[in-house]
Amino acid sequence: MRHRPRGENIIRFDSVGLRYGLGPEVLRDVTFALPSGSFHFLTGPSGAGKSSLLRLMYLGLRPTRGRVVLFDRDIASTRRYELPALRRRIGVVFQEFRLLDHLTALDNVALPLRVRGVRESEIRKHVPELLSWVGLADQLGAKPSTLSGGQKQRVAIARAVIGRPDLLLADEPTGNVDDHIAMRLMYLFEELNKLGTTIVVATHNESLVSRFAHNPRLHLEHGQVTRVN
Amino acid sequence: MFGRHSDLPLAGDATSRFLPWLVALMVFLAAMAVSGAFAVNEVMSRWDHDVTGTVTVQVLPAGGERAEAATDERVRQAVDLIRAVPGVLAVKALDKARTLALLEPWLGGTDVVRDLPLPRLIDVTVDPDARIDLAEVADRLSHAVPGAALDDHRVWLSRLINLSRTMEWLAIVVVGLIGLVTSATVVYATRTGMAVHHDIIEVLHLIGAHDDYIARQFADRAFVLGLGGGLFGLAMAVPALSALGWAARRLEGGFLPSIGLPLAGYVVIGLLPLLAAGLAMLTARLTVHGALARMP
Ligand SMILES: Nc1ncnc2c1ncn2[C@@H]1O[C@H](COP(=O)(O)OP(=O)(O)OP(=O)(O)O)[C@@H](O)[C@H]1O
Ligand SMILES: [Mg+2]
């Protein structure tokens, strides 16, 4: 993991606008910056554009207008072959998990390491460790189709953090788990945050947000982002 | 290549299942075309050998008054025409006295013979490496000079050689077309595979996979399918070629020299499955790179 001084921005949006095809602008003039090492909630009503905003952050979409600066790189002027290196510094928990159905929990979590060319011996060591940490020690060989919603979610989270990302983006990571496990996952995120990972958790779970009210919050509504502290 | 890790479940794809069969057919056809070309080339090089060296032009005597002078003129024209052909080393017209001398053992040296309208002969020495199109020269000669003709047998051989050269080109074109069809099919199968596995590809892309990490998995699969199909096609081609060779040998004794494949032919045919697999692999890889370049 790279150690960057706290306070330096890990990501910055300048007047970013986004529309899908010819539809209305989902995001308008979104401007904000996330300091390195921060932990933010991203809140807003359903359909406000939380997932879309995260998609721009993990480079799954290009903005229709405006500027995205990630790890001090202006994305618009970054060469295509340089993007994978940036993406590897980001861990993503997708709202719909996006696990590969034909792979076991272990292989799903191993994916970011395989993509990086990490040796199998390392993978066999670290992946089961992390999976037991999220309470799936006895599900290493299970395919996603045999896992519950909450278990899938934990596999997805494990996959997002296995590469020790500098930036972790989680889209409704506690949507399918009971309160107990939700708390456990939040503690995992806080643990990672203490180690230096910048974290954004998109959620509309108000009780979760208020229980971790010490973390700042970005609120998204009508295509605009406002800071709530 | 074979034990290499793959995250994409390509082995179960129904869309690529037809690919080995197509490659098998293509390798079979290519083997036929290649062995045909090699066999024809063998035969041709032997015939070519026969044609090189010297060629004879015959000029029939002119009739009417001043026949002698008119015949001389024909010979002169023929000599000029032949001399202008590239690859001709020497042209030597035999004068009447020489022709008579050649004929004396059969006809005797009488005055009667001296007055007979005898055809004149022109000896032409050709460069063995020049591969002169004798058929074309013969056509020109008979049009330009009345009564002049090139040695029949050799012109006929020359025409056959021209035909075999055309067949060689045809074989090359056929093999090229086979390669194109194989490539096009691989492009189609790869695109279909990418559409089927779009979600997985996007996840790999988003967690930081380089394009080549994804392309390689499709390329490896195409190689395996291409090689399997190619080997099967080769296995079908070998008995077919043996049967053809056997049939050709039974024909022998006629004008056909023995038809056998030279070693180079066996090598090329043996390499066909590998070439097909390599082509499939390269095509798949380029196809995936092209498609991924459109992702953000
Ligand atoms: N791929 C897409 N194509 C077209 N429109 C889209 C697409 N994805 C999202 N949208 C639209 O963009 C808007 C924002 O969607 P988004 O999924 O970002 O909202 P959200 O805040 O994540 O909602 P939720 O809390 O329900 O997950 C919605 O109006 C949605 O219909
Ligand atoms: Mg969403």
Side-chain angles (χ1 to χ4, degrees), chain B residues 186-241:
Chain B
V186 172
V187 168
Y188 168 77
T190 305
R191 291 232 176 104
T192 313
M194 287 190 80
V196 170
H197 301 299
H198 178 265
D199 283 347
I200 298 175
I201 290 171
E202 196 177 17
V203 169
L204 291 175
H205 180 69
L206 290 176
I207 64 176
H210 276 287
D211 290 355
D212 207 49
Y213 180 87
I214 297 165
R216 218 190 49 220
Q217 300 190 21
F218 279 95
D220 285 359
R221 181 75 192 142
F223 184 86
V224 169
L225 292 177
L227 191 65
L231 288 173
F232 184 72
L234 183 66
M236 295 293 101
V238 168
L241 287 174

Side-chain angles (χ1 to χ4, degrees), chain B residues 112-136:
Chain B
V112 181
V113 172
R114 213 171 303 275
D115 290 337
L116 276 178
L118 287 176
R120 302 281 194 84
L121 301 177
I122 304 171
D123 252 353
V124 183
T125 313
V126 293
D127 180 353
D129 300 325
R131 294 200 154 196
I132 299 171
D133 184 353
L134 285 177
E136 186 265 340

Side-chain angles (χ1 to χ4, degrees), chain A residues 39-60:
Chain A
F39 189 137
H40 283 80
F41 282 113
L42 175 62
T43 57
S46 180
K50 300 184 293 296
S51 297
S52 304
L53 185 59
L54 291 181
R55 214 170 283 154
L56 287 172
M57 293 169 83
Y58 61 73
L59 310 181

Side-chain angles (χ1 to χ4, degrees), chain B residues 78-127:
Chain B
V79 166
D80 286 349
L81 192 144
I82 300 285
R83 205 166 260 154
V85 175
V88 168
L89 297 178
V91 183
K92 189 163 156 283
L94 307 183
D95 58 23
K96 188 156 186 188
R98 186 102 176 77
T99 311
L100 281 174
L102 280 173
L103 292 175
E104 208 173 318
W106 290 277
L107 303 176
T110 61
D111 284 349
V112 181
V113 172
R114 213 171 303 275
D115 290 337
L116 276 178
L118 287 176
R120 302 281 194 84
L121 301 177
I122 304 171
D123 252 353
V124 183
T125 313
V126 293
D127 180 353

Side-chain angles (χ1 to χ4, degrees), chain A residues 10-11 13 32-35 37-43 50-51 53-55 57-58 70 90-94 160 165-173 186 189-190 192-193 197-203 215-220 225 227:
Chain A
I10 210 156
I11 192 163
F13 275 46
F32 69 91
L34 300 181
S38 62
F39 189 137
H40 283 80
F41 282 113
L42 175 62
T43 57
K50 300 184 293 296
S51 297
L53 185 59
L54 291 181
R55 214 170 283 154
M57 293 169 83
Y58 61 73
L70 181 66
I90 306 174
V92 188
V93 185
F94 300 99
D166 292 331
L167 174 62
L168 178 70
L169 306 172
D171 202 349
E172 300 286 358
M186 286 304 295
F189 290 158
E190 289 215 312
L192 285 167
N193 180 237
T197 301
T198 308
I199 296 184
V200 180
V201 175
T203 184
N215 291 317
R217 170 174 167 185
L218 296 171
H219 188 73
L220 184 57
V225 167
R227 244 174 210 288

Side-chain angles (χ1 to χ4, degrees), chain A residues 80 87-88 98 102 114-115, chain B residues 7 202 208 211 292 296:
Chain A
R80 192 184 150 73
R87 291 195 175 100
R88 288 174 191 185
R98 308 194 69 168
H102 65 289
R114 294 231 163 89
V115 158
Chain B
D7 310 309
E202 196 177 17
D211 290 355
L292 288 180

